[in-house]
Amino acid sequence: MTSVPEPPERPAPFGPTVGGGGARTTEVLVGFTTALRHAGVAVTADRTRAYVEAVALLGLADPDRLRWAGHATLCAGPDDVLRHDQVFEAWFTAEEGLPRRRPRERTPLRSSRLPDLGGGPEETAQATQPDEDPAVITARASDVETLRHRDVASMDAAERALLHAMLAALRPRPPRRRSHRRTPAPRGGVDARRTVRAMLRRGGEPARLERRARRPRPRPVVMLVDVSGSMSLYADTLLRLCHRLHGAAYATGGHVEVFSVGTRVTRLTGPMGHRDPERALVEAGRTVPDWSGGTRLGESLQVFLDRWGRRGLVRGAVVVVMSDGWERGDASLLGEQVAALSRLAHRVVWMNPHRGRAGYAPVQNGVLAVLPHVDDFVAGHSLAAYAELLEVVADA
């Protein structure tokens, strides 16, 4: 168990003021992040600013919201969450004028460690009742489940912050393939050479059969994110999803390439290498020159194939194109480039945010041009759709 550090005596002033407490409240919040850093959590200046801004949006009325704001903005893994909760208890129960943790029974809420999504003062008051009705818990779980299926484009800032925290909890499985090279394994075909050598070492006596098998190897993934104006409400969340898959692939020896497409093609694999998703998105935003611009997917894919694709980047890879298909250029050119992409790649997955909406029909010229050449045409408007997309990529 990690010991709780002593909070710093003089927290440095930082960031905007928070409603209800002014500069004093901001000072206490920044002091909390400083204490958290001393406890071993890698809290950067960007995370501290995001935490103060999240508290300014969510308010200080509910300690649970304050705690979840810290989880979403300051923590990068389960160990960070554990340290956060320890420092949270020690820090905020010692400060005056800030919400203290209410003495209530935690057991019924253990199965649902997600905050109340209502946001109104009446709902907050109900949530603080010690003898919470199981029906209320069910309603809150239903709210979280509803958020999983909500369209990202319809969410406000607080809901997006919670969605990003839930997105960070996804566990992507990078795709794998069997290699041609066979290596020693407990199961598989008989390795005659190793078996004979073992018998010779025993003077010709029978020995155990040695076996060998093809070992799985990571399959590369290439993600092309449409950052044009029609995709502006989804681009931030889609890049966070790319960052999540990039980190999971790196941890297992795999490789994920990320590009933005619109009117130009920009390689974002470098910015996605930052461990902190906030910093990765800031770096990506500085790199992309055509953010919220026009849509010329055909020309962009042609440049991508000429510069990277035909040189081996997409050969045998799983290519994921994240776009609504609103092509303003030549749709036939887009179809030709996606056809060339499908001939080089192992599998082409096209993710369309409008695909999951009720009554959607693929009538756009760009979508009609690419559908004959893609292997999977999936939705991409909600957290549930993103989880399904990761499963499609993992099983490719």
Side-chain angles (χ1 to χ4, degrees), residues 176-223:
R176 305 180 74 81
R177 63 182 176 185
R178 289 197 310 168
S179 64
H180 294 289
R181 184 175 181 180
R182 298 177 185 272
T183 57
R187 296 180 181 178
V190 176
D191 189 340
R193 291 186 177 182
R194 293 179 59 235
T195 301
V196 170
R197 291 196 189 101
M199 294 178 62
L200 291 177
R201 286 194 298 270
R202 296 168 60 94
E205 295 292 331
R208 187 186 64 178
L209 291 178
E210 302 290 342
R211 300 183 181 276
R212 63 179 184 172
R214 293 178 179 178
R215 292 296 180 90
R217 298 180 57 189
R219 183 181 291 281
V221 179
V222 179
M223 309 191 79

mmCIF file of all heavy atoms in Angstrom, residues 176-223:
data_model
loop_
_atom_site.group_PDB
_atom_site.id
_atom_site.type_symbol
_atom_site.label_atom_id
_atom_site.label_comp_id
_atom_site.label_asym_id
_atom_site.label_seq_id
_atom_site.Cartn_x
_atom_site.Cartn_y
_atom_site.Cartn_z
ATOM 1 N N ARG A 176 -2.962 -9.798 -34.591
ATOM 2 C CA ARG A 176 -1.765 -10.621 -34.688
ATOM 3 C C ARG A 176 -1.900 -11.560 -35.882
ATOM 4 O O ARG A 176 -3.008 -11.857 -36.334
ATOM 5 C CB ARG A 176 -1.545 -11.412 -33.392
ATOM 6 C CG ARG A 176 -1.486 -10.539 -32.150
ATOM 7 C CD ARG A 176 -1.262 -11.350 -30.897
ATOM 8 N NE ARG A 176 0.100 -11.817 -30.794
ATOM 9 C CZ ARG A 176 1.112 -11.090 -30.353
ATOM 10 N NH1 ARG A 176 0.906 -9.838 -29.988
ATOM 11 N NH2 ARG A 176 2.321 -11.579 -30.281
ATOM 12 N N ARG A 177 -0.777 -12.044 -36.334
ATOM 13 C CA ARG A 177 -0.753 -12.990 -37.456
ATOM 14 C C ARG A 177 0.297 -14.057 -37.174
ATOM 15 O O ARG A 177 1.233 -13.837 -36.402
ATOM 16 C CB ARG A 177 -0.409 -12.264 -38.752
ATOM 17 C CG ARG A 177 0.984 -11.636 -38.738
ATOM 18 C CD ARG A 177 1.256 -10.900 -40.016
ATOM 19 N NE ARG A 177 2.548 -10.222 -39.964
ATOM 20 C CZ ARG A 177 2.995 -9.426 -40.922
ATOM 21 N NH1 ARG A 177 2.262 -9.228 -41.998
ATOM 22 N NH2 ARG A 177 4.170 -8.839 -40.812
ATOM 23 N N ARG A 178 0.122 -15.192 -37.813
ATOM 24 C CA ARG A 178 1.097 -16.267 -37.624
ATOM 25 C C ARG A 178 2.288 -16.035 -38.540
ATOM 26 O O ARG A 178 2.132 -15.757 -39.724
ATOM 27 C CB ARG A 178 0.471 -17.614 -37.916
ATOM 28 C CG ARG A 178 -0.526 -18.062 -36.870
ATOM 29 C CD ARG A 178 -0.795 -19.545 -36.995
ATOM 30 N NE ARG A 178 -1.117 -19.944 -38.353
ATOM 31 C CZ ARG A 178 -1.158 -21.208 -38.762
ATOM 32 N NH1 ARG A 178 -0.879 -22.182 -37.924
ATOM 33 N NH2 ARG A 178 -1.480 -21.495 -40.005
ATOM 34 N N SER A 179 3.477 -16.158 -38.000
ATOM 35 C CA SER A 179 4.682 -15.977 -38.813
ATOM 36 C C SER A 179 4.979 -17.265 -39.577
ATOM 37 O O SER A 179 4.506 -18.345 -39.225
ATOM 38 C CB SER A 179 5.863 -15.616 -37.908
ATOM 39 O OG SER A 179 6.146 -16.687 -37.034
ATOM 40 N N HIS A 180 5.754 -17.153 -40.647
ATOM 41 C CA HIS A 180 6.142 -18.335 -41.427
ATOM 42 C C HIS A 180 7.242 -19.132 -40.722
ATOM 43 O O HIS A 180 7.377 -20.322 -40.922
ATOM 44 C CB HIS A 180 6.617 -17.902 -42.817
ATOM 45 C CG HIS A 180 5.522 -17.291 -43.650
ATOM 46 N ND1 HIS A 180 4.477 -18.021 -44.173
ATOM 47 C CD2 HIS A 180 5.291 -16.009 -44.021
ATOM 48 C CE1 HIS A 180 3.659 -17.243 -44.849
ATOM 49 N NE2 HIS A 180 4.137 -15.999 -44.771
ATOM 50 N N ARG A 181 8.009 -18.439 -39.912
ATOM 51 C CA ARG A 181 9.127 -19.112 -39.242
ATOM 52 C C ARG A 181 8.609 -19.928 -38.060
ATOM 53 O O ARG A 181 7.802 -19.436 -37.268
ATOM 54 C CB ARG A 181 10.136 -18.069 -38.740
ATOM 55 C CG ARG A 181 11.375 -18.682 -38.127
ATOM 56 C CD ARG A 181 12.364 -17.601 -37.768
ATOM 57 N NE ARG A 181 13.573 -18.161 -37.202
ATOM 58 C CZ ARG A 181 14.606 -17.436 -36.800
ATOM 59 N NH1 ARG A 181 14.562 -16.112 -36.912
ATOM 60 N NH2 ARG A 181 15.673 -18.016 -36.292
ATOM 61 N N ARG A 182 9.098 -21.157 -37.966
ATOM 62 C CA ARG A 182 8.681 -22.037 -36.871
ATOM 63 C C ARG A 182 9.740 -22.027 -35.783
ATOM 64 O O ARG A 182 10.938 -22.065 -36.075
ATOM 65 C CB ARG A 182 8.470 -23.462 -37.386
ATOM 66 C CG ARG A 182 7.370 -23.581 -38.424
ATOM 67 C CD ARG A 182 7.260 -25.003 -38.945
ATOM 68 N NE ARG A 182 6.291 -25.121 -40.026
ATOM 69 C CZ ARG A 182 5.008 -25.343 -39.841
ATOM 70 N NH1 ARG A 182 4.542 -25.508 -38.617
ATOM 71 N NH2 ARG A 182 4.187 -25.430 -40.871
ATOM 72 N N THR A 183 9.319 -21.982 -34.556
ATOM 73 C CA THR A 183 10.220 -21.970 -33.399
ATOM 74 C C THR A 183 9.810 -23.068 -32.429
ATOM 75 O O THR A 183 8.666 -23.543 -32.470
ATOM 76 C CB THR A 183 10.154 -20.611 -32.688
ATOM 77 O OG1 THR A 183 8.790 -20.345 -32.309
ATOM 78 C CG2 THR A 183 10.631 -19.486 -33.599
ATOM 79 N N PRO A 184 10.729 -23.506 -31.551
ATOM 80 C CA PRO A 184 10.379 -24.556 -30.576
ATOM 81 C C PRO A 184 9.166 -24.177 -29.749
ATOM 82 O O PRO A 184 9.026 -23.035 -29.306
ATOM 83 C CB PRO A 184 11.639 -24.653 -29.720
ATOM 84 C CG PRO A 184 12.738 -24.199 -30.612
ATOM 85 C CD PRO A 184 12.145 -23.118 -31.461
ATOM 86 N N ALA A 185 8.270 -25.144 -29.577
ATOM 87 C CA ALA A 185 7.033 -24.907 -28.854
ATOM 88 C C ALA A 185 6.603 -26.199 -28.175
ATOM 89 O O ALA A 185 6.989 -27.292 -28.596
ATOM 90 C CB ALA A 185 5.941 -24.418 -29.814
ATOM 91 N N PRO A 186 5.831 -26.112 -27.111
ATOM 92 C CA PRO A 186 5.371 -27.353 -26.440
ATOM 93 C C PRO A 186 4.404 -28.158 -27.285
ATOM 94 O O PRO A 186 4.260 -29.356 -27.079
ATOM 95 C CB PRO A 186 4.711 -26.819 -25.168
ATOM 96 C CG PRO A 186 4.345 -25.407 -25.482
ATOM 97 C CD PRO A 186 5.395 -24.899 -26.405
ATOM 98 N N ARG A 187 3.731 -27.497 -28.229
ATOM 99 C CA ARG A 187 2.788 -28.185 -29.099
ATOM 100 C C ARG A 187 3.067 -27.804 -30.547
ATOM 101 O O ARG A 187 3.627 -26.751 -30.817
ATOM 102 C CB ARG A 187 1.352 -27.827 -28.737
ATOM 103 C CG ARG A 187 0.932 -28.277 -27.344
ATOM 104 C CD ARG A 187 -0.489 -27.887 -27.059
ATOM 105 N NE ARG A 187 -0.894 -28.291 -25.720
ATOM 106 C CZ ARG A 187 -2.083 -28.038 -25.192
ATOM 107 N NH1 ARG A 187 -2.994 -27.359 -25.910
ATOM 108 N NH2 ARG A 187 -2.356 -28.445 -23.982
ATOM 109 N N GLY A 188 2.662 -28.686 -31.485
ATOM 110 C CA GLY A 188 2.874 -28.415 -32.896
ATOM 111 C C GLY A 188 3.481 -29.600 -33.605
ATOM 112 O O GLY A 188 3.459 -30.741 -33.102
ATOM 113 N N GLY A 189 4.034 -29.353 -34.786
ATOM 114 C CA GLY A 189 4.649 -30.422 -35.562
ATOM 115 C C GLY A 189 5.947 -30.910 -34.947
ATOM 116 O O GLY A 189 6.597 -30.206 -34.168
ATOM 117 N N VAL A 190 6.338 -32.128 -35.305
ATOM 118 C CA VAL A 190 7.555 -32.727 -34.755
ATOM 119 C C VAL A 190 8.773 -32.077 -35.393
ATOM 120 O O VAL A 190 8.857 -31.943 -36.623
ATOM 121 C CB VAL A 190 7.561 -34.247 -35.006
ATOM 122 C CG1 VAL A 190 8.878 -34.853 -34.528
ATOM 123 C CG2 VAL A 190 6.374 -34.907 -34.315
ATOM 124 N N ASP A 191 9.729 -31.682 -34.562
ATOM 125 C CA ASP A 191 10.995 -31.121 -35.028
ATOM 126 C C ASP A 191 11.989 -32.281 -35.125
ATOM 127 O O ASP A 191 12.594 -32.701 -34.129
ATOM 128 C CB ASP A 191 11.474 -30.044 -34.048
ATOM 129 C CG ASP A 191 12.675 -29.283 -34.591
ATOM 130 O OD1 ASP A 191 13.351 -29.810 -35.498
ATOM 131 O OD2 ASP A 191 12.949 -28.176 -34.112
ATOM 132 N N ALA A 192 12.153 -32.823 -36.346
ATOM 133 C CA ALA A 192 12.955 -34.036 -36.526
ATOM 134 C C ALA A 192 14.418 -33.806 -36.149
ATOM 135 O O ALA A 192 15.044 -34.653 -35.493
ATOM 136 C CB ALA A 192 12.835 -34.512 -37.976
ATOM 137 N N ARG A 193 14.991 -32.691 -36.556
ATOM 138 C CA ARG A 193 16.408 -32.442 -36.276
ATOM 139 C C ARG A 193 16.685 -32.379 -34.780
ATOM 140 O O ARG A 193 17.620 -33.011 -34.272
ATOM 141 C CB ARG A 193 16.843 -31.142 -36.942
ATOM 142 C CG ARG A 193 16.884 -31.224 -38.458
ATOM 143 C CD ARG A 193 17.466 -29.953 -39.037
ATOM 144 N NE ARG A 193 17.571 -30.039 -40.481
ATOM 145 C CZ ARG A 193 18.071 -29.091 -41.260
ATOM 146 N NH1 ARG A 193 18.515 -27.961 -40.701
ATOM 147 N NH2 ARG A 193 18.144 -29.251 -42.568
ATOM 148 N N ARG A 194 15.898 -31.609 -34.059
ATOM 149 C CA ARG A 194 16.131 -31.492 -32.619
ATOM 150 C C ARG A 194 15.864 -32.807 -31.909
ATOM 151 O O ARG A 194 16.527 -33.167 -30.940
ATOM 152 C CB ARG A 194 15.247 -30.380 -32.042
ATOM 153 C CG ARG A 194 15.653 -28.996 -32.546
ATOM 154 C CD ARG A 194 14.765 -27.904 -31.991
ATOM 155 N NE ARG A 194 14.806 -27.870 -30.543
ATOM 156 C CZ ARG A 194 13.743 -27.946 -29.779
ATOM 157 N NH1 ARG A 194 12.542 -28.078 -30.319
ATOM 158 N NH2 ARG A 194 13.858 -27.893 -28.475
ATOM 159 N N THR A 195 14.891 -33.569 -32.431
ATOM 160 C CA THR A 195 14.597 -34.866 -31.820
ATOM 161 C C THR A 195 15.762 -35.847 -32.018
ATOM 162 O O THR A 195 16.176 -36.547 -31.089
ATOM 163 C CB THR A 195 13.314 -35.452 -32.434
ATOM 164 O OG1 THR A 195 12.233 -34.546 -32.224
ATOM 165 C CG2 THR A 195 12.970 -36.787 -31.806
ATOM 166 N N VAL A 196 16.350 -35.852 -33.246
ATOM 167 C CA VAL A 196 17.482 -36.750 -33.512
ATOM 168 C C VAL A 196 18.699 -36.352 -32.689
ATOM 169 O O VAL A 196 19.413 -37.205 -32.140
ATOM 170 C CB VAL A 196 17.806 -36.741 -35.027
ATOM 171 C CG1 VAL A 196 19.115 -37.472 -35.296
ATOM 172 C CG2 VAL A 196 16.676 -37.385 -35.814
ATOM 173 N N ARG A 197 18.948 -35.023 -32.586
ATOM 174 C CA ARG A 197 20.080 -34.575 -31.759
ATOM 175 C C ARG A 197 19.914 -35.004 -30.307
ATOM 176 O O ARG A 197 20.879 -35.417 -29.644
ATOM 177 C CB ARG A 197 20.202 -33.054 -31.840
ATOM 178 C CG ARG A 197 20.646 -32.538 -33.200
ATOM 179 C CD ARG A 197 21.100 -31.103 -33.081
ATOM 180 N NE ARG A 197 21.320 -30.511 -34.380
ATOM 181 C CZ ARG A 197 20.459 -29.688 -34.991
ATOM 182 N NH1 ARG A 197 19.337 -29.346 -34.392
ATOM 183 N NH2 ARG A 197 20.740 -29.197 -36.189
ATOM 184 N N ALA A 198 18.703 -34.920 -29.829
ATOM 185 C CA ALA A 198 18.455 -35.334 -28.446
ATOM 186 C C ALA A 198 18.702 -36.827 -28.272
ATOM 187 O O ALA A 198 19.245 -37.281 -27.250
ATOM 188 C CB ALA A 198 17.022 -34.967 -28.059
ATOM 189 N N MET A 199 18.340 -37.627 -29.275
ATOM 190 C CA MET A 199 18.580 -39.078 -29.202
ATOM 191 C C MET A 199 20.072 -39.378 -29.246
ATOM 192 O O MET A 199 20.556 -40.283 -28.552
ATOM 193 C CB MET A 199 17.845 -39.775 -30.355
ATOM 194 C CG MET A 199 16.327 -39.694 -30.261
ATOM 195 S SD MET A 199 15.483 -40.463 -31.672
ATOM 196 C CE MET A 199 16.021 -42.157 -31.525
ATOM 197 N N LEU A 200 20.841 -38.621 -30.089
ATOM 198 C CA LEU A 200 22.291 -38.855 -30.157
ATOM 199 C C LEU A 200 22.953 -38.525 -28.832
ATOM 200 O O LEU A 200 23.905 -39.198 -28.417
ATOM 201 C CB LEU A 200 22.886 -37.999 -31.279
ATOM 202 C CG LEU A 200 22.489 -38.415 -32.704
ATOM 203 C CD1 LEU A 200 23.076 -37.443 -33.734
ATOM 204 C CD2 LEU A 200 22.957 -39.839 -33.004
ATOM 205 N N ARG A 201 22.465 -37.446 -28.171
ATOM 206 C CA ARG A 201 23.048 -37.104 -26.869
ATOM 207 C C ARG A 201 22.780 -38.190 -25.832
ATOM 208 O O ARG A 201 23.519 -38.340 -24.875
ATOM 209 C CB ARG A 201 22.466 -35.775 -26.373
ATOM 210 C CG ARG A 201 23.002 -34.562 -27.108
ATOM 211 C CD ARG A 201 22.674 -33.294 -26.358
ATOM 212 N NE ARG A 201 21.245 -33.086 -26.249
ATOM 213 C CZ ARG A 201 20.519 -32.413 -27.143
ATOM 214 N NH1 ARG A 201 21.110 -31.869 -28.195
ATOM 215 N NH2 ARG A 201 19.230 -32.282 -26.963
ATOM 216 N N ARG A 202 21.747 -38.970 -26.043
ATOM 217 C CA ARG A 202 21.407 -40.057 -25.119
ATOM 218 C C ARG A 202 21.972 -41.399 -25.570
ATOM 219 O O ARG A 202 21.556 -42.447 -25.089
ATOM 220 C CB ARG A 202 19.891 -40.163 -24.984
ATOM 221 C CG ARG A 202 19.257 -38.926 -24.368
ATOM 222 C CD ARG A 202 17.754 -38.970 -24.542
ATOM 223 N NE ARG A 202 17.172 -40.129 -23.908
ATOM 224 C CZ ARG A 202 16.681 -40.142 -22.682
ATOM 225 N NH1 ARG A 202 16.723 -39.022 -21.959
ATOM 226 N NH2 ARG A 202 16.165 -41.237 -22.154
ATOM 227 N N GLY A 203 22.896 -41.362 -26.569
ATOM 228 C CA GLY A 203 23.510 -42.587 -27.032
ATOM 229 C C GLY A 203 22.604 -43.446 -27.889
ATOM 230 O O GLY A 203 22.745 -44.679 -27.927
ATOM 231 N N GLY A 204 21.640 -42.843 -28.538
ATOM 232 C CA GLY A 204 20.738 -43.594 -29.412
ATOM 233 C C GLY A 204 19.466 -44.050 -28.734
ATOM 234 O O GLY A 204 18.584 -44.634 -29.386
ATOM 235 N N GLU A 205 19.340 -43.771 -27.456
ATOM 236 C CA GLU A 205 18.110 -44.156 -26.760
ATOM 237 C C GLU A 205 16.965 -43.230 -27.170
ATOM 238 O O GLU A 205 17.175 -42.067 -27.494
ATOM 239 C CB GLU A 205 18.325 -44.049 -25.246
ATOM 240 C CG GLU A 205 19.350 -45.017 -24.710
ATOM 241 C CD GLU A 205 18.843 -46.466 -24.804
ATOM 242 O OE1 GLU A 205 17.604 -46.654 -24.744
ATOM 243 O OE2 GLU A 205 19.666 -47.369 -24.970
ATOM 244 N N PRO A 206 15.742 -43.749 -27.149
ATOM 245 C CA PRO A 206 14.584 -42.897 -27.505
ATOM 246 C C PRO A 206 14.489 -41.684 -26.584
ATOM 247 O O PRO A 206 14.741 -41.768 -25.382
ATOM 248 C CB PRO A 206 13.387 -43.834 -27.327
ATOM 249 C CG PRO A 206 13.962 -45.200 -27.448
ATOM 250 C CD PRO A 206 15.349 -45.136 -26.878
ATOM 251 N N ALA A 207 14.168 -40.564 -27.166
ATOM 252 C CA ALA A 207 14.046 -39.317 -26.403
ATOM 253 C C ALA A 207 12.657 -38.708 -26.649
ATOM 254 O O ALA A 207 11.904 -39.171 -27.515
ATOM 255 C CB ALA A 207 15.138 -38.322 -26.831
ATOM 256 N N ARG A 208 12.360 -37.705 -25.890
ATOM 257 C CA ARG A 208 11.073 -37.031 -26.048
ATOM 258 C C ARG A 208 11.006 -36.314 -27.399
ATOM 259 O O ARG A 208 12.004 -35.753 -27.858
ATOM 260 C CB ARG A 208 10.894 -36.011 -24.931
ATOM 261 C CG ARG A 208 9.519 -35.377 -24.923
ATOM 262 C CD ARG A 208 9.464 -34.289 -23.888
ATOM 263 N NE ARG A 208 10.388 -33.204 -24.220
ATOM 264 C CZ ARG A 208 10.519 -32.094 -23.501
ATOM 265 N NH1 ARG A 208 9.809 -31.969 -22.393
ATOM 266 N NH2 ARG A 208 11.377 -31.173 -23.874
ATOM 267 N N LEU A 209 9.854 -36.384 -28.051
ATOM 268 C CA LEU A 209 9.679 -35.711 -29.338
ATOM 269 C C LEU A 209 9.727 -34.198 -29.143
ATOM 270 O O LEU A 209 8.985 -33.638 -28.325
ATOM 271 C CB LEU A 209 8.342 -36.112 -29.968
ATOM 272 C CG LEU A 209 8.226 -37.567 -30.449
ATOM 273 C CD1 LEU A 209 6.820 -37.817 -30.993
ATOM 274 C CD2 LEU A 209 9.261 -37.893 -31.512
ATOM 275 N N GLU A 210 10.621 -33.548 -29.874
ATOM 276 C CA GLU A 210 10.688 -32.083 -29.851
ATOM 277 C C GLU A 210 9.721 -31.537 -30.904
ATOM 278 O O GLU A 210 9.608 -32.089 -31.998
ATOM 279 C CB GLU A 210 12.111 -31.602 -30.153
ATOM 280 C CG GLU A 210 13.156 -32.130 -29.189
ATOM 281 C CD GLU A 210 13.002 -31.499 -27.813
ATOM 282 O OE1 GLU A 210 12.337 -30.437 -27.712
ATOM 283 O OE2 GLU A 210 13.552 -32.060 -26.849
ATOM 284 N N ARG A 211 9.089 -30.440 -30.580
ATOM 285 C CA ARG A 211 8.067 -29.883 -31.487
ATOM 286 C C ARG A 211 8.354 -28.411 -31.772
ATOM 287 O O ARG A 211 9.086 -27.748 -31.038
ATOM 288 C CB ARG A 211 6.668 -30.041 -30.867
ATOM 289 C CG ARG A 211 6.305 -31.496 -30.616
ATOM 290 C CD ARG A 211 4.889 -31.643 -30.072
ATOM 291 N NE ARG A 211 4.580 -33.048 -29.828
ATOM 292 C CZ ARG A 211 4.150 -33.887 -30.761
ATOM 293 N NH1 ARG A 211 3.951 -33.449 -32.004
ATOM 294 N NH2 ARG A 211 3.894 -35.139 -30.485
ATOM 295 N N ARG A 212 7.749 -27.934 -32.832
ATOM 296 C CA ARG A 212 7.886 -26.545 -33.216
ATOM 297 C C ARG A 212 6.582 -26.057 -33.839
ATOM 298 O O ARG A 212 5.798 -26.858 -34.348
ATOM 299 C CB ARG A 212 9.034 -26.341 -34.203
ATOM 300 C CG ARG A 212 8.845 -27.070 -35.518
ATOM 301 C CD ARG A 212 9.994 -26.807 -36.450
ATOM 302 N NE ARG A 212 9.787 -27.433 -37.759
ATOM 303 C CZ ARG A 212 10.574 -27.234 -38.811
ATOM 304 N NH1 ARG A 212 11.615 -26.434 -38.713
ATOM 305 N NH2 ARG A 212 10.328 -27.828 -39.955
ATOM 306 N N ALA A 213 6.371 -24.755 -33.775
ATOM 307 C CA ALA A 213 5.112 -24.189 -34.286
ATOM 308 C C ALA A 213 5.353 -22.750 -34.714
ATOM 309 O O ALA A 213 6.360 -22.127 -34.343
ATOM 310 C CB ALA A 213 4.029 -24.245 -33.205
ATOM 311 N N ARG A 214 4.421 -22.241 -35.510
ATOM 312 C CA ARG A 214 4.484 -20.847 -35.928
ATOM 313 C C ARG A 214 4.026 -19.952 -34.781
ATOM 314 O O ARG A 214 2.937 -20.159 -34.238
ATOM 315 C CB ARG A 214 3.617 -20.608 -37.151
ATOM 316 C CG ARG A 214 4.128 -21.313 -38.403
ATOM 317 C CD ARG A 214 3.181 -21.077 -39.563
ATOM 318 N NE ARG A 214 3.674 -21.719 -40.786
ATOM 319 C CZ ARG A 214 3.017 -21.708 -41.946
ATOM 320 N NH1 ARG A 214 1.838 -21.090 -42.019
ATOM 321 N NH2 ARG A 214 3.520 -22.304 -42.996
ATOM 322 N N ARG A 215 4.833 -18.987 -34.419
ATOM 323 C CA ARG A 215 4.490 -18.075 -33.339
ATOM 324 C C ARG A 215 3.730 -16.869 -33.891
ATOM 325 O O ARG A 215 4.035 -16.384 -34.984
ATOM 326 C CB ARG A 215 5.757 -17.602 -32.628
ATOM 327 C CG ARG A 215 6.457 -18.703 -31.862
ATOM 328 C CD ARG A 215 5.562 -19.216 -30.735
ATOM 329 N NE ARG A 215 6.218 -20.272 -29.979
ATOM 330 C CZ ARG A 215 6.967 -20.048 -28.915
ATOM 331 N NH1 ARG A 215 7.159 -18.805 -28.520
ATOM 332 N NH2 ARG A 215 7.531 -21.046 -28.273
ATOM 333 N N PRO A 216 2.743 -16.395 -33.167
ATOM 334 C CA PRO A 216 2.016 -15.189 -33.630
ATOM 335 C C PRO A 216 2.891 -13.952 -33.539
ATOM 336 O O PRO A 216 3.690 -13.796 -32.615
ATOM 337 C CB PRO A 216 0.831 -15.115 -32.660
ATOM 338 C CG PRO A 216 1.292 -15.836 -31.443
ATOM 339 C CD PRO A 216 2.221 -16.920 -31.913
ATOM 340 N N ARG A 217 2.727 -13.080 -34.518
ATOM 341 C CA ARG A 217 3.449 -11.818 -34.551
ATOM 342 C C ARG A 217 2.453 -10.674 -34.678
ATOM 343 O O ARG A 217 1.354 -10.841 -35.227
ATOM 344 C CB ARG A 217 4.415 -11.789 -35.740
ATOM 345 C CG ARG A 217 5.490 -12.847 -35.689
ATOM 346 C CD ARG A 217 6.375 -12.732 -36.910
ATOM 347 N NE ARG A 217 6.969 -11.412 -37.037
ATOM 348 C CZ ARG A 217 7.638 -11.012 -38.118
ATOM 349 N NH1 ARG A 217 7.750 -11.822 -39.147
ATOM 350 N NH2 ARG A 217 8.173 -9.813 -38.158
ATOM 351 N N PRO A 218 2.804 -9.497 -34.196
ATOM 352 C CA PRO A 218 1.876 -8.360 -34.319
ATOM 353 C C PRO A 218 1.656 -7.991 -35.782
ATOM 354 O O PRO A 218 2.579 -7.999 -36.588
ATOM 355 C CB PRO A 218 2.593 -7.232 -33.564
ATOM 356 C CG PRO A 218 3.607 -7.900 -32.717
ATOM 357 C CD PRO A 218 4.028 -9.144 -33.435
ATOM 358 N N ARG A 219 0.408 -7.685 -36.103
ATOM 359 C CA ARG A 219 0.074 -7.204 -37.444
ATOM 360 C C ARG A 219 -0.024 -5.679 -37.405
ATOM 361 O O ARG A 219 -0.693 -5.134 -36.520
ATOM 362 C CB ARG A 219 -1.249 -7.796 -37.920
ATOM 363 C CG ARG A 219 -1.619 -7.402 -39.345
ATOM 364 C CD ARG A 219 -2.955 -8.007 -39.758
ATOM 365 N NE ARG A 219 -2.894 -9.443 -39.913
ATOM 366 C CZ ARG A 219 -2.404 -10.073 -40.969
ATOM 367 N NH1 ARG A 219 -1.903 -9.369 -41.967
ATOM 368 N NH2 ARG A 219 -2.389 -11.382 -41.040
ATOM 369 N N PRO A 220 0.636 -4.982 -38.312
ATOM 370 C CA PRO A 220 0.591 -3.511 -38.266
ATOM 371 C C PRO A 220 -0.806 -2.967 -38.544
ATOM 372 O O PRO A 220 -1.609 -3.595 -39.247
ATOM 373 C CB PRO A 220 1.590 -3.100 -39.352
ATOM 374 C CG PRO A 220 1.679 -4.274 -40.262
ATOM 375 C CD PRO A 220 1.471 -5.485 -39.406
ATOM 376 N N VAL A 221 -1.071 -1.800 -37.991
ATOM 377 C CA VAL A 221 -2.359 -1.115 -38.167
ATOM 378 C C VAL A 221 -2.081 0.304 -38.653
ATOM 379 O O VAL A 221 -1.170 0.976 -38.145
ATOM 380 C CB VAL A 221 -3.153 -1.067 -36.842
ATOM 381 C CG1 VAL A 221 -4.480 -0.325 -37.040
ATOM 382 C CG2 VAL A 221 -3.408 -2.465 -36.317
ATOM 383 N N VAL A 222 -2.836 0.741 -39.643
ATOM 384 C CA VAL A 222 -2.743 2.107 -40.159
ATOM 385 C C VAL A 222 -4.111 2.757 -40.002
ATOM 386 O O VAL A 222 -5.119 2.204 -40.474
ATOM 387 C CB VAL A 222 -2.315 2.131 -41.640
ATOM 388 C CG1 VAL A 222 -2.261 3.571 -42.148
ATOM 389 C CG2 VAL A 222 -0.967 1.454 -41.821
ATOM 390 N N MET A 223 -4.158 3.907 -39.340
ATOM 391 C CA MET A 223 -5.417 4.596 -39.073
ATOM 392 C C MET A 223 -5.392 5.953 -39.774
ATOM 393 O O MET A 223 -4.464 6.746 -39.567
ATOM 394 C CB MET A 223 -5.637 4.762 -37.573
ATOM 395 C CG MET A 223 -5.468 3.453 -36.802
ATOM 396 S SD MET A 223 -5.996 3.504 -35.102
ATOM 397 C CE MET A 223 -7.761 3.356 -35.282
#
